[in-house]
Amino acid sequence: MNSRITKSTMLVALLGLSSQLFAQETPTTTSRFGKQSLRTWSVGAHGGILSQNTFLGGGSVDAREFKSIGYGAFVKKQILPALGLQADFLRGEVKTANAFGNLEQKNSINWSGSLTAVLNIANFSLNTENAVLIPYVKAGAGYMSSDSQIGTTEVFADREGWFIPTGVGFKIGVSKGINIDLGYDINFIKSSPTVKAAYNESRFSYAHAGLEFALGNKENSQLQNYSAVADLRKQSAEESAELRRALSTAEQNAARDREQYAKDLADDDNDGVANKFDKCPGTPTGTVVDGSGCPIKVQREIIRETKVITEEDRKVVKDAISNLEFDLGKSTIRSKSYASLNRVAGLLVEKNFSLKLAGHTDNTGGRELNLRLSKERAESVKAYLVSQGANASRIEATGYGPDQPISTNKTAAGRQENRRVEFTLY
């Protein structure tokens, strides 16, 4: 009665595992490692030689291996790249000569079922699609039914008992979903003294070869063939290609900005107003223009006798420098600066002075951007002074960017001092 219950329990467990397998043949069986969807279920078949002698040594019998054929099948669920659960089914006959050599002893494995954990101890893979070589070890528990006879004499029939399957082997990946399986198992019989006595040293070996087929989407690789190192190489190559594309785009953008910068700050019509600020491009040479580059109908310049620059004149310029403010990161002059700039414009008109405007920045940001900003701010001041009546031809606007600091750029106060527009009367 107990034997029937044990046998029924074993069969129900193995059939349950098999039913789960066929219920998961769709791509939903895949797990995600890295960027790949991988297949986790597989089936296989194998055949080979059974023997009462094993590699563990000890007493030896006259085994007739070439007459001792075994065959079987398995279903497998891969849980992690290195760990899987495998249900094995095995049948076959183990034949030896008796002690006198005149009779043949035959132990028939009517059926056996086992559940083993398979540990991949390495994964020799050049890519994530198909492992070249996967050595493994396995161990678990199983239940079997066997007969034994010597010559024509029956020793026992349909004796059942537990055994412990262990094994080593390796798999060779031949395609994305097919592996060749080469293995050597040693099965230790653990119950029924009568059965144990029929097998030399209570164990038998099974050297076998077989094929394993992955189930699921044929476009996906197998989880057990997955190589984290190979996948990292693949992702690194993709990221490097993306970085090269990003650098190429950045270089193209920088070249475009340089071209636009040169175009904006050039003075194609030589009227003293940069193209970016010139509202009337193409004015004839010698035309008197206002701060926007447009001709003015009345010449507002008053020709006066040149005077010596006094301390009072320098104070007007100094006040303009102190009160000069722009919008953050722009060349737009804030309205609070207009009053002091108006006094500078009046000074230029009254005394016929010339003025050099030199824009400077700190070293925050790119050099090309700072050069452009410093030039635009100097041009913006020039445009305003011209709009207030100053002669554009007597005002020079230049941008030096971060190249001429007057203080350290390592402190906020120093950087504030370096962001300036210098006024030089002459």
Side-chain angles (χ1 to χ4, degrees):
M1 183 65 177
N2 291 336
S3 174
R4 291 175 183 172
I5 293 174
T6 302
K7 179 178 178 181
S8 299
T9 302
M10 188 70 180
L11 288 174
V12 168
L14 294 176
L15 288 174
L17 180 61
S18 300
S19 65
Q20 289 185 27
L21 168 67
F22 292 106
Q24 299 287 339
E25 289 185 357
T26 66
T28 58
T29 60
T30 59
S31 297
R32 183 162 292 277
F33 282 79
K35 297 182 179 179
Q36 298 194 58
S37 294
L38 305 170
R39 288 185 276 179
T40 61
W41 286 97
S42 60
V43 297
H46 48 74
I49 296 175
L50 294 163
S51 176
Q52 293 232 32
N53 290 330
T54 68
F55 288 154
L56 297 180
S60 177
V61 297
D62 183 8
R64 297 179 176 179
E65 283 89 354
F66 293 104
K67 293 184 178 181
S68 304
I69 304 301
Y71 56 93
F74 65 86
V75 292
K76 184 179 179 184
K77 168 66 176 178
Q78 198 71 25
I79 301 173
L80 298 171
L83 178 64
L85 289 179
Q86 181 168 306
D88 280 291
F89 305 86
L90 177 66
R91 290 190 53 144
E93 293 182 342
V94 186
K95 296 181 180 181
T96 60
N98 70 348
F100 301 102
N102 58 349
L103 293 176
E104 182 179 76
Q105 180 175 344
K106 179 176 70 175
N107 295 332
S108 299
I109 302 173
N110 299 327
W111 59 264
S112 72
S114 63
L115 185 63
T116 58
V118 183
L119 180 65
N120 297 334
I121 58 178
N123 186 326
F124 298 96
S125 174
L126 300 179
N127 54 61
T128 58
E129 300 299 323
N130 184 44
V132 177
L133 183 66
I134 309 174
Y136 66 84
V137 296
K138 67 177 184 178
Y143 199 75
M144 63 182 288
S145 171
S146 64
D147 301 338
S148 180
Q149 67 179 55
I150 300 177
T152 58
T153 303
E154 181 180 273
V155 179
F156 58 80
D158 293 327
R159 289 289 176 88
E160 299 177 4
W162 292 96
F163 70 98
I164 297 177
T166 63
V168 297
F170 59 89
K171 295 181 180 180
I172 302 173
V174 295
S175 70
K176 187 179 287 188
I178 302 176
N179 293 323
I180 295 175
D181 186 8
L182 303 176
Y184 180 78
D185 301 341
I186 299 178
N187 300 285
F188 298 88
I189 301 171
K190 302 304 291 182
S191 59
S192 182
T194 304
V195 177
K196 291 173 66 173
Y199 291 86
N200 184 38
E201 298 179 349
S202 303
R203 59 181 179 248
F204 66 93
S205 65
Y206 177 45
H208 59 86
L211 288 175
E212 179 183 28
F213 302 91
L215 299 179
N217 190 339
K218 294 182 180 180
E219 298 299 321
N220 297 332
S221 302
Q222 299 181 69
L223 176 56
Q224 70 174 339
N225 293 47
Y226 168 82
S227 169
V229 174
D231 192 35
L232 180 60
R233 286 178 49 235
K234 182 177 179 181
Q235 293 184 40
S236 297
E238 293 174 352
E239 291 171 357
S240 297
E242 181 63 28
L243 180 59
R244 286 193 293 270
R245 287 192 293 269
L247 289 174
S248 176
T249 301
E251 290 172 356
Q252 292 173 2
N253 292 341
R256 181 196 62 203
D257 291 343
R258 286 193 295 270
E259 181 180 352
Q260 188 63 40
Y261 169 76
K263 181 178 178 181
D264 288 346
L265 298 184
D267 185 8
D268 294 339
D269 55 8
N270 295 313
D271 62 356
V273 179
N275 292 341
K276 181 174 182 179
F277 300 96
D278 199 338
K279 298 291 194 291
C280 299
T283 55
T285 303
T287 303
V288 179
V289 298
D290 59 18
S292 63
C294 294
I296 55 178
K297 296 180 180 180
V298 180
Q299 176 66 27
R300 299 180 62 185
E301 179 181 8
I302 301 175
I303 306 300
R304 298 178 182 273
E305 180 182 355
T306 302
K307 297 182 179 180
V308 176
I309 300 173
T310 65
E311 287 301 321
E312 185 178 350
D313 297 334
R314 291 190 176 91
K315 184 177 185 305
V316 170
V317 173
K318 184 176 180 181
D319 289 343
I321 295 174
S322 300
N323 294 321
L324 182 59
E325 291 187 9
F326 297 90
D327 287 346
L328 182 63
K330 299 180 180 180
S331 60
T332 305
I333 302 173
R334 292 182 176 176
S335 59
K336 66 176 294 185
S337 305
Y338 292 165
S340 57
L341 288 177
N342 290 342
R343 288 192 290 274
V344 173
L347 183 63
L348 296 177
V349 172
E350 179 185 356
K351 295 191 176 183
N352 202 28
F353 287 141
S354 294
L355 178 66
K356 180 178 180 180
L357 300 170
H360 301 273
T361 67
D362 60 25
N363 66 350
T364 304
R367 183 176 182 275
E368 291 186 3
L369 177 63
N370 284 328
L371 280 172
R372 180 171 61 189
L373 180 61
S374 64
K375 173 68 172 175
E376 289 179 354
R377 286 182 170 179
E379 288 283 359
S380 183
V381 174
K382 175 181 177 179
Y384 183 83
L385 294 174
V386 171
S387 71
Q388 300 302 309
N391 188 346
S393 63
R394 287 187 173 275
I395 304 175
E396 177 187 358
T398 307
Y400 295 98
D403 296 342
Q404 297 182 8
I406 60 174
S407 184
T408 178
N409 279 309
K410 295 182 179 180
T411 65
R415 290 191 294 272
Q416 177 65 36
E417 292 182 28
N418 290 333
R419 297 192 292 268
R420 67 198 189 280
V421 175
E422 295 178 344
F423 293 54
T424 305
L425 287 174
Y426 61 94

